[in-house]
């Protein structure tokens, strides 16, 4: 419910335009249309600009046109045909999705930023956003991955929040984008739990341009985490002339008849589920690529899910609820869907079946889409090594060693077998 007297509306920008990013723009734009009292009608979608030739099989390919075989700017194609012919072909986007190649212009005056980028690009894009966003903006990360530095591990939502000095929640679930784009039913989990802040004041006059955020991002050392109180003190309250970003209003932004949202407060659990299931999906692909069948796949899914819960508890402590992994879409359900039809699963399977490096399959088969599991397996391994805990996460370690070609997929059963003391 909008607050009485709220005169402003939230402007929403989707930061990213891949397979999931474009799907997210579609469903958010539909919701913005249905809730005009809360949201501005235009949804900006930042596009990493590239030249794209409209494929011959596309309904927008016109052999008679002089530009038929000439590459065109992807933003131009999206804004003309309302379709992302490269990353989400065949799906018509609402006309209120506006593709923008300039990330600073795309986020100008936006109070809601939805990040949907492959995690390897988050740091650079956050750097580009410093000083460009309103200081009271709120973010939701739909990115699946973690950030590992020399001193520790951070959730992507934490990275975004700390780098831009804003609050960032997370959205993750059993969400294969192409199915959701076709409006087939699925569920998702949104974690949104901003710390309580001082009472809200009206938007200060002439304050649309924020002061630049600190260029220094705090590293979360898991042994010496910044307290939530310290972080809350840096956040700016949303001015009172905007509708509140309550759970109810956040739900109105994402929930669709075909996309059912469950709201929770466990940002760490939701983020870790999305990141770690990608390592499990690689393991499932490896055993399926060997032709070992569904029982083998179920075994690695079981062990991987236990490692996911153990990882969350070991390194994120009480901020993680085990029930987030077991009861929410972002946990076991995402493991199941990702190990059935996800890109990480499919590429890992093909790599083993053909005896080809998975990075080569990614390059050849995905047309620019990115795997997240391979990099996450390296990042998680490098973090576990610094903690001396590789042995306690045998499946995650086996996936890393398979990618490094130090062990073979056939060794997975012996590698994940509990060791006698
Ligand atoms: N596709 C899916 O089914 C789902 C994906 N996700 C997650 O969403 C995140 C984004 O994935 P997708 O939207 O699927 O992307 P994608 O993998 O389909 O596409 C890659 C994207 O990266 C962009 N890109 C390439 N180079 C770049 C650079 N240097 N800087 C910035 N961007 C660059 C491309 O323009 C493209 O938009 C990932 O973390 C993924 O795990 C989450 C749920 C479902
Ligand atoms: O996250 C996903 C499904 O929930 C998609 O997984 P992939 O990136 O492996 O396709």
């Amino acid at each position: 419910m909008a607050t009485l007297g709220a005169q402003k509306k939230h402007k929403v920008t989707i930061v990213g335009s891949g397979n999931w990013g474009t799907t997210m723009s579609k469903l958010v734009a539909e919701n913005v249309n249905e809730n005009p009292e809360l949201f501005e009608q235009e949804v900006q979608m930042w596009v990493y600009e590239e030249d794209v030739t409209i494929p011959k099989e596309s309904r927008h390919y016109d052999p008679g046109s002089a530009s038929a075989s000439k590459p065109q700017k992807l933003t131009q194609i999206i804004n003309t045909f309302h379709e992302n012919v490269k990353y989400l072909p065949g799906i018509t986007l609402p006309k209120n999705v506006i593709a923008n190649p300039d990330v600073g212009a795309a986020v100008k005056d936006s109070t809601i930023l939805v990040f949907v980028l492959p995690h390897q690009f988050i740091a650079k894009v956050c750097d580009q956003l410093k000083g460009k966003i309103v200081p009271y903006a709120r973010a939701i990360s739909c990115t699946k991955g973690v950030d590992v530095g020399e001193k520790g591990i951070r959730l992507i939502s934490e990275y975004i929040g700390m780098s831009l000095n804003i609050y960032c929640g997370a959205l993750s679930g059993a969400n294969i984008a192409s199915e959701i784009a076709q409006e087939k039913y699925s569920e998702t989990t949104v974690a949104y739990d901003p710390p309580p802040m001082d009472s809200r004041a009206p938007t200060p006059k002439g304050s649309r341009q924020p002061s630049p955020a600190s260029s220094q991002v705090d590293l979360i050392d898991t042994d010496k985490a910044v307290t939530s109180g310290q972080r809350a003190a840096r956040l700016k309250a949303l001015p009172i002339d905007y509708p509140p970003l309550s759970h109810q209003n956040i739900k109105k932004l994402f929930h669709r008849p075909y996309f059912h949202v469950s709201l929770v407060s466990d940002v760490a659990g939701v983020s870790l589920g999305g990141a770690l299931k990608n390592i499990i999906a690689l393991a499932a692909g490896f055993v399926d690529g060997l032709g070992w069948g569904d029982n083998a796949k179920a075994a690695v899914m079981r062990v991987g899910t236990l490692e996911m819960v153990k990882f969350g508890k070991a390194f994120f402590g009480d901020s993680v609820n085990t029930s987030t992994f077991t009861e929410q879409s972002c946990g076991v359900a995402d493991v199941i869907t990702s190990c059935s039809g996800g890109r990480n699963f499919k590429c890992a399977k093909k790599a083993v079946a053909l005896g080809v490096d998975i990075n080569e399959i990614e390059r050849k088969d995905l047309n620019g889409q990115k795997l997240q599991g391979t990099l996450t397996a390296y990042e998680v391994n490098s973090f576990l090594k610094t903690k001396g805990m590789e042995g306690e996460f045998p499946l995650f370690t086996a996936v890393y060693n398979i990618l490094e070609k130090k062990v073979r997929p056939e060794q997975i059963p012996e590698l994940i077998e509990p060791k006698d003391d």
Side-chain angles (χ1 to χ4, degrees), residues 144 173-176 277-278 334 337-338 341-345 370:
K144 293 182 174 176
N175 295 150
I176 292 191
K277 67 84 187 171
N278 282 329
D334 198 6
T337 203
S338 296
R343 297 168 297 187
N344 287 281
F345 166 74
K370 304 285 181 204

Side-chain angles (χ1 to χ4, degrees), residues 355-390:
V356 176
D357 190 273
I358 188 168
N359 298 306
E360 198 180 321
I361 305 281
E362 179 184 17
R363 265 194 308 277
K364 281 193 180 152
D365 285 15
L366 292 191
N367 191 30
Q369 295 186 32
K370 304 285 181 204
L371 296 181
Q372 299 285 265
T374 41
L375 183 56
T376 304
Y378 276 84
E379 289 167 330
V380 164
N381 182 263
S382 114
F383 174 67
L384 290 175
K385 259 195 195 109
T386 62
K387 295 278 170 196
M389 290 173 72
E390 278 179 288

Side-chain angles (χ1 to χ4, degrees), residues 224-397:
K224 190 179 159 228
V226 176
T227 67
S228 56
Q230 286 169 310
R231 290 176 62 193
R234 296 190 203 143
L235 298 177
K236 298 274 181 293
L238 183 72
I240 199 152
D241 35 11
Y242 283 96
L245 285 177
S246 55
H247 270 196
Q248 197 183 15
N249 286 345
I250 290 288
K251 190 164 179 175
K252 285 183 179 167
L253 188 62
F254 295 110
H255 188 93
R256 297 292 304 148
Y258 56 87
F259 189 61
H260 285 209
V261 168
S262 164
L263 268 146
V264 300
S265 300
D266 179 7
V267 180
V270 171
S271 305
L272 286 173
L276 299 175
K277 67 84 187 171
N278 282 329
I279 307 181
I280 306 170
L282 291 178
F286 292 150
V287 295
D288 219 37
L290 291 170
W292 282 2
D294 292 339
N295 296 334
K297 208 161 87 169
V300 298
M301 287 161 72
R302 182 189 71 81
V303 175
T305 303
L306 290 174
E307 290 188 17
M308 179 193 264
V309 177
K310 184 173 174 179
F311 192 95
K313 283 286 166 205
F315 305 119
F316 291 83
D318 289 342
S319 61
V320 167
N321 295 326
T322 303
S323 62
T324 305
F325 298 113
T326 54
E327 292 175 17
Q328 294 293 331
S329 179
C330 60
V332 174
D334 198 6
V335 172
I336 295 169
T337 203
S338 296
C339 294
S340 310
R343 297 168 297 187
N344 287 281
F345 166 74
K346 286 180 182 167
C347 289
K349 177 176 176 169
K350 192 163 175 184
V352 168
L354 300 182
V356 176
D357 190 273
I358 188 168
N359 298 306
E360 198 180 321
I361 305 281
E362 179 184 17
R363 265 194 308 277
K364 281 193 180 152
D365 285 15
L366 292 191
N367 191 30
Q369 295 186 32
K370 304 285 181 204
L371 296 181
Q372 299 285 265
T374 41
L375 183 56
T376 304
Y378 276 84
E379 289 167 330
V380 164
N381 182 263
S382 114
F383 174 67
L384 290 175
K385 259 195 195 109
T386 62
K387 295 278 170 196
M389 290 173 72
E390 278 179 288
E392 293 187 42
F393 295 87
L395 186 78
F396 293 170
T397 304

